[in-house]
């Protein structure tokens, strides 16, 4: 990694609000120093409580932590980027972000924080037919406002999530401050080898979200039970060979191919297990796991926006 970011982070998406503070505290105790948050997750206030308690108890200092958050779609207009960043900083009870990312290359109509926060996807959830309302904000304008956050000392590094190769090329053509990170969905069913190679060629580090694949999506009805990678033959063979769990093999595969990973769990034993990746997969094992690729994307706005938010809005097709 070009940055000082720990390669294994703790993902905060879908952690229930009532569990978040205690979960974050447990994660610090388990050894996590990298926390991946976002305004849209709706639990940054509770995450802040957990981190503050960990620091008050002397378990960790702010300097030892790497905290990432993300700019939500409704705050893309340059006038609203700093407002969104400061709200997340206040919620997390910190003075700066180690990394701040554009969450999606999707600009939506602004919703004031006092009206609804987090704003989520639809402009007016009380409308007869709630829909997303795109905003006419070019990505280069949002990026310039992200650069201003660095210059004001609110953010140390900036980057993007869910960009495709065309958008990465475009970003590198105008960025004054180069992106430090590209965060994308990646696992053995969606290896994204060309996109990862492109990012590395540009000197951009890569974080893989959903490194276990379908596991994050069962409860959302965005994956079928048969799509679990934990039972895939090459994963199980490697797990048996190394005396590790299938989940540890999947996470090790992600690390070994040069990406950071951000697994999520609320169980302390799983937290420790997900950090215990000090083993090496062979080239044969790595290749066998990579050969599982189906280009299967679970987190696809082209699918879920129409189903959930009444708006067809693909970004990968």
């Amino acid at each position: 990694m070009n940055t000082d970011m720990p390669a294994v982070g703790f993902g905060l998406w879908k952690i229930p609000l009532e569990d978040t503070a205690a979960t974050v505290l447990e994660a610090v105790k388990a050894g996590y120093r990298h926390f991946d948050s976002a305004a849209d997750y709706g639990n940054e206030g509770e995450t802040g409580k957990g981190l503050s308690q960990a620091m008050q108890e002397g378990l960790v200092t702010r300097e030892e932590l790497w905290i990432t958050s993300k700019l939500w779609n409704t705050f893309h207009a340059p006038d609203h980027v700093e407002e969104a960043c400061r709200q997340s900083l206040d919620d997390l009870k910190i003075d700066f972000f180690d990394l701040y990312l554009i969450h999606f290359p999707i600009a939506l109509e602004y919703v004031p924080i006092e009206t609804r926060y987090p704003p989520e996807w639809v402009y007016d959830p009380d409308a007869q037919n709630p829909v997303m309302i795109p905003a006419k904000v070019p990505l280069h304008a949002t990026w310039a406002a992200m650069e201003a956050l660095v210059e004001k000392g609110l953010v140390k590094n900036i980057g993007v999530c869910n960009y495709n190769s065309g958008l990465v090329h475009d970003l590198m053509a105008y960025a004054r401050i180069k992106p430090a990170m590209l965060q994308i969905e990646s696992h053995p069913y969606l290896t994204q080898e060309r996109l990862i190679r492109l990012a590395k060629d540009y000197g951009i580090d890569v974080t893989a979200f959903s490194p276990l694949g379908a596991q994050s999506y069962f409860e959302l009805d965005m994956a079928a039970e048969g799509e679990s990678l934990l039972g895939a033959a090459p994963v199980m063979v490697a797990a048996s060979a190394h005396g590790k769990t299938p989940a540890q093999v999947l996470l090790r595969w992600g690390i070994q191919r040069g990406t950071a990973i951000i697994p999520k769990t609320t169980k302390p034993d799983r937290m420790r297990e997900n950090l215990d990746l000090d083993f090496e997969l062979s080239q044969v094992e790595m290749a066998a796991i990579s050969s599982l690729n189906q280009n299967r994307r679970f987190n696809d706005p082209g699918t879920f926006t129409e189903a959930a938010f009444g708006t067809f809005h693909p970004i990968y097709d």
Side-chain angles (χ1 to χ4, degrees), residues 210-245:
S210 303
L212 299 178
Q215 302 306 118
S216 296
Y217 300 96
F218 292 140
E219 65 197 85
L220 302 174
D221 291 326
M222 292 165 68
E225 287 293 333
E227 293 185 291
S228 174
L229 276 159
L230 298 178
V235 176
M236 295 180 73
V237 167
S240 177
H242 293 276
K244 297 291 184 179
T245 66

Side-chain angles (χ1 to χ4, degrees), residues 259-274:
T259 65
I261 53 172
I262 42 174
K264 161 247 167 183
T265 181
T266 56
K267 298 176 177 144
D269 56 337
R270 285 279 171 79
M271 292 179 190
R272 291 186 288 273
E273 178 186 304
N274 290 348

